[in-house]
Amino acid sequence: MRAPAFNTIRHATVALLLAVAAVLGISACGGSPGAATLLSDTFQSGKPIESGQIDLRFTLSGEGSPAFSKPLKLHLSGPFESTGSKKLPRFALKLDLTAAGNTLQAGMVS
């Protein structure tokens, strides 16, 4: 018998992978012209991104599924800045991952 924490992490991981696949599938089919234009202007401009602030939030609800009675939430945030070509950028990122009502917090600084 596996520990409940392992099963929770395994279910959360599977749910996160499925959600990412769904988001990629939906975005590949089209979306808001405003969003498509913004992404195109940002990433196809030929200009390198030197610095920025990440604030990524993702929530997955498994309505109707007894395995996912509580939503899976991911929040990644913090600043980053390039230190030059082929060098690790400077960053101070914070990750909050909530699965089955339990929250894991982690951070990374370079």
Side-chain angles (χ1 to χ4, degrees), residues 91-102:
F91 55 85
L93 300 177
K94 178 183 175 191
L95 172 70
D96 294 317
L97 177 63
T98 303
N102 300 308

Side-chain angles (χ1 to χ4, degrees), residues 4 12 16 18 33 51 53 62 71 73 76 81 86 91 93 108-109:
L16 181 59
L18 289 173
S51 64
Q53 178 74 28
K73 296 180 181 183
L76 179 67
E81 181 178 26
K86 298 184 181 181
F91 55 85
L93 300 177
M108 186 183 298
V109 177

Side-chain angles (χ1 to χ4, degrees), residues 32-83:
S32 167
T37 301
L38 176 63
L39 290 172
S40 176
D41 290 348
T42 301
F43 295 109
Q44 294 181 356
S45 68
K47 298 177 189 173
I49 298 173
E50 298 292 329
S51 64
Q53 178 74 28
I54 296 172
D55 188 9
L56 173 68
R57 295 170 191 262
F58 179 81
T59 301
L60 176 66
S61 296
E63 293 181 21
S65 171
F68 300 105
S69 60
K70 295 182 181 178
L72 172 70
K73 296 180 181 183
L74 174 117
H75 181 207
L76 179 67
S77 62
F80 67 92
E81 181 178 26
S82 173
T83 59

